[in-house]
Amino acid sequence: MLRTVLVCGFVLLCSAGVALVEMKFDVSIRQPAVAIDSLPETLSGWSSEDVPMDPEVTRFAGAEATVSRVYRRNGEIPVSVYAAVWADEETVSSIAPHPPGVCYPNAGWTLEREKVVVVDDSVPIQLLEFSRAGEHVITAHWYQLGELRYVDRDKGRLGLASLWGESSWPPLVKILLQTQASSIEEAESRLTAIATDVNQFTKTVQ
């Protein structure tokens, strides 16, 4: 009899725990205060043009809104800027959707090197060097969740945990820059210059 009571009590406790977890994650995601496609057309003296996204890529990303541009400046190698916003609980909870360290190798690129640098005094961005068939590209990316900027899942999880219990969460923003270069060092200055301006804008997308 005592064993039955203990088992029933354990089941009830587990059920209550599951209900509590589900309640904690019963949240709404706030819509962006500023549309991501209002990203300035000029950044650090670089002028841009929109680049149409492949519909299949857009569908696969599943973002609420995106912007894709190429920024150019005389005498410089162009820099592509892609940004996406997700405003659904499932993607926000995933912390770091479509990381380039996974997506690029899946597209046939080989990851050669990586480096994390800080822009705007506190924003970490990850630089990745990829090669494929003799071509080299350098990417720079980071994620934004409210006031938090991060490149690794561990920090993203901490930021997400700090939101538990709140009825609404900020949208998740991903920023990805890409340029051609033979090394991270060759591309770093132009990527970080543009990344600094992009971050100033995405601060408003919360």
Side-chain angles (χ1 to χ4, degrees), residues 24-91:
K24 280 181 176 291
F25 282 89
D26 184 18
V27 299
S28 62
I29 308 300
R30 297 192 292 272
Q31 292 298 309
V34 174
I36 194 68
D37 61 6
S38 60
L39 175 71
E41 295 181 357
T42 300
L43 297 172
S44 296
W46 296 67
S47 299
S48 69
E49 59 184 277
D50 289 333
V51 177
M53 292 285 295
D54 183 327
E56 185 62 23
V57 173
T58 301
R59 184 198 64 78
F60 177 72
E64 168 127 345
T66 61
V67 61
S68 177
R69 296 204 183 124
V70 172
Y71 285 79
R72 306 179 188 277
R73 189 167 67 179
N74 287 341
E76 299 277 2
I77 298 174
V79 175
S80 300
V81 177
Y82 169 80
V85 176
W86 289 271
D88 64 279
E89 182 184 346
E90 181 178 358
T91 306

Side-chain angles (χ1 to χ4, degrees), residues 2-168:
L2 177 59
R3 182 177 179 181
T4 302
V5 171
L6 289 175
V7 169
C8 290
F10 178 74
V11 170
L12 288 173
L13 182 62
C14 290
S15 299
V18 169
L20 180 61
V21 169
E22 289 179 344
M23 182 176 66
K24 280 181 176 291
F25 282 89
D26 184 18
V27 299
S28 62
I29 308 300
R30 297 192 292 272
Q31 292 298 309
V34 174
I36 194 68
D37 61 6
S38 60
L39 175 71
E41 295 181 357
T42 300
L43 297 172
S44 296
W46 296 67
S47 299
S48 69
E49 59 184 277
D50 289 333
V51 177
M53 292 285 295
D54 183 327
E56 185 62 23
V57 173
T58 301
R59 184 198 64 78
F60 177 72
E64 168 127 345
T66 61
V67 61
S68 177
R69 296 204 183 124
V70 172
Y71 285 79
R72 306 179 188 277
R73 189 167 67 179
N74 287 341
E76 299 277 2
I77 298 174
V79 175
S80 300
V81 177
Y82 169 80
V85 176
W86 289 271
D88 64 279
E89 182 184 346
E90 181 178 358
T91 306
V92 173
S93 298
S94 74
I95 302 170
H98 309 295
V102 173
C103 292
Y104 277 68
N106 284 344
W109 293 88
T110 298
L111 177 60
E112 303 287 356
R113 294 175 57 210
E114 57 186 285
K115 177 182 180 181
V116 175
V117 299
V118 175
V119 301
D120 246 4
D121 296 325
S122 61
V123 179
I125 66 173
Q126 187 170 41
L127 304 176
L128 301 175
E129 179 183 332
F130 294 101
S131 66
R132 184 178 69 180
E135 182 181 5
H136 279 73
V137 297
I138 312 300
T139 65
H141 79 279
W142 71 98
Y143 294 91
Q144 171 184 303
L145 184 63
E147 298 296 326
L148 180 66
R149 309 291 190 277
Y150 60 94
V151 296
D152 63 273
R153 287 185 175 275
D154 288 341
K155 189 170 182 181
R157 289 190 184 95
L158 289 175
L160 189 66
S162 70
L163 298 173
W164 289 0
E166 296 187 13
S167 60
S168 68

